[in-house]
Structure formats: structure tokens, C-alpha cells
Amino acid sequence: MNVLAIDTSNEVLALALLQNEELIGQLSTKVNRNHSIRLMPAVVSLMQKIEMKPEELDKIIVAKGPGSYTGVRIGVTTAKSLAWALKIPVVGVSSLEALAYQGLLANRYICPFFDARRQTVFTGLYKWEEHRMKLVYEETNMPMKNWLSKLIEINQPILFLSPHLASFKEMIIQYMGENAIIPKSPYHVTNATHVALAGLEKEPEDVHSLTPNYLRMAEAEANWLKAQKDVQ
């Protein structure tokens, strides 16, 4: 089975091609250009290097958020379009779960998170148990200090993973002390292979009903709804 995995939910654009669960090619870049401009050319380039035709794909797995609203939307829309055109299954997976796979061998709690602005984060708590990534605390959007207050109660070492670690590192150490495990920089970026692994056992979704998981409304939408309520 040939699987294409896509992640554009944050600053990094990441792709992976797996054949019978074996990685045969991947691409990961972080440049200041819109994912909408770069995604399809990157898919075409990777598949050409592997000498694989689009019609040879059997499944597409995409990180569906949370993360950047624009990035998540671009990835999900592209995955749906490809799946529909090729008449193949599409699977959406949590961007946080995919990042948690970077701590697969840590044998401890794993806390992936993304900056949601204004000192809030998109986050959840995971642990690798019984050969799968288990969700311990539901994914949420909340102030980081509130989330850390909740994690303190576990009183065990927790591995923190995030491409936005620098914005919260001091706070994490302040709250968690020695229970905060912070690895080197490369571990904080999602590997598209892990997007694939997170979705291999999941059931495909209807191509038309697959939607991004933003975990909260976009600020513009929230402001519009507030304005409508004020008018009423």
C-alpha cells in the first residue's frame, strides 16, 4: 500500500511517502512562503523523485489541526482534493498526536503544544502504551499557565514538544521544575512519517465531511459573532 502523508499545520511543510509501512521518501522545509504556493509542487517533486505516479497512491493521511488556521486549511483541502480526484481514502489525524510521536520511545507522559497566541496554547497530554499513542488529557485550547497548573498535579516527568517552545520554555521550567523534560531542537518539529503512523490504523473519513480541527473559532469569526450579538 502506498501512502502519502501531509502536514502543513504549522510553519514546516512536511511530506512522506510510505510503501507497505516503509518510508521511501520524505520532504521537510521551513521557509517564509505560503504553503498554498509550495504544497502541490512539493508533492509532485517528491513523487517524481520516487518515480511514483499519482494513480499508484492508495491512501492519503493529513494532519487536520490544530495549528495555523491557514496552514491546516491548505493541507486538509489539498488532501481532500487529491483523494477525491484519485478516488482513494483520506484520513485526518490530530497535528498534536503526530507531534507526540516524536516522544515515542521516551516512556513517559508527552505534552505536545502549539502557540495559540496571547499566552494560550493548543495542547493535550499523551502517553505511548500498549503499542499505540493514548490520549491522557483531551486536546484543548487554554492559557498555558492553567494547563501547566493541571500538569503539576501528575507529579511525574513530562516530555514537552513544540515548534514554539522558546515562547514558553521559561514558564514551563518555572511551573514544572525538574519534571519538565525538554529535548533538543529537532524533536520539536513534526515528522510527516509520524503523521502517517498516526493514521495507518484509523478509519478513512468521507472526503466531503473531513474538516479541519481548529479547537477554537478563528479570531475574525469570533469578532463577527460578537458584533452580531451586540447588534441584537
Side-chain angles (χ1 to χ4, degrees), residues 1-216:
M1 174 180 284
N2 297 323
V3 175
L4 171 66
I6 300 172
D7 183 12
T8 58
S9 54
N10 283 287
E11 296 86 351
V12 171
L13 184 158
L15 302 172
L17 275 169
L18 278 70
Q19 187 171 71
N20 298 324
E21 300 188 20
E22 179 182 346
L23 177 66
I24 58 173
Q26 66 179 12
L27 179 150
S28 182
T29 59
K30 181 181 179 182
V31 296
N32 293 323
R33 291 180 63 191
N34 196 306
H35 291 326
S36 64
I37 299 172
R38 302 171 48 240
L39 180 52
M40 277 311 301
V43 171
V44 171
S45 175
L46 179 60
M47 295 193 69
Q48 286 178 342
K49 287 180 172 63
I50 303 301
E51 298 183 348
M52 181 183 293
K53 298 176 182 178
E55 54 267 28
E56 294 180 84
L57 288 173
D58 299 297
K59 181 186 289 186
I60 296 174
I61 302 175
V62 61
K64 64 177 183 179
S68 157
Y69 292 108
T70 302
V72 169
R73 186 169 61 250
I74 290 166
V76 170
T77 301
T78 301
K80 290 173 62 173
S81 299
L82 286 170
W84 182 83
L86 297 170
K87 295 180 174 56
I88 58 176
V90 61
V91 176
V93 301
S94 163
S95 302
L96 289 167
E97 180 183 357
L99 179 56
Y101 270 77
Q102 290 283 56
L104 180 67
L105 302 179
N107 192 30
R108 64 182 78 247
Y109 289 105
I110 306 164
C111 176
F113 69 89
F114 304 132
D115 189 351
R117 298 182 181 179
R118 299 175 182 171
Q119 294 297 297
T120 67
V121 291
F122 300 120
T123 188
L125 190 68
Y126 285 87
K127 193 172 186 181
W128 181 260
E129 288 183 338
E130 298 175 356
H131 308 291
R132 67 185 184 92
M133 193 63 72
K134 288 187 176 181
L135 186 59
V136 180
Y137 287 168
E138 289 294 325
E139 294 182 357
T140 186
N141 169 219
M142 69 165 61
M144 183 56 141
K145 63 180 182 180
N146 294 3
W147 177 247
L148 291 172
S149 296
K150 185 175 182 177
L151 296 183
I152 288 173
E153 299 174 1
I154 297 176
N155 195 29
Q156 290 190 36
I158 297 176
L159 180 72
F160 287 87
L161 299 170
S162 176
H164 311 124
L165 177 70
S167 299
F168 297 94
K169 184 175 181 179
E170 185 176 335
M171 186 188 301
I172 291 170
I173 294 173
Q174 177 186 344
Y175 274 76
M176 302 298 298
E178 293 183 356
N179 278 336
I181 309 299
I182 300 175
K184 298 294 184 180
S185 176
Y187 292 95
H188 297 280
V189 179
T190 301
N191 186 323
T193 306
H194 294 153
V195 174
L197 290 177
L200 284 176
E201 302 300 323
K202 287 182 169 58
E203 289 295 319
E205 301 184 43
D206 178 78
V207 69
H208 300 296
S209 61
L210 173 61
T211 56
N213 175 23
Y214 296 124
L215 275 186
R216 73 174 184 194

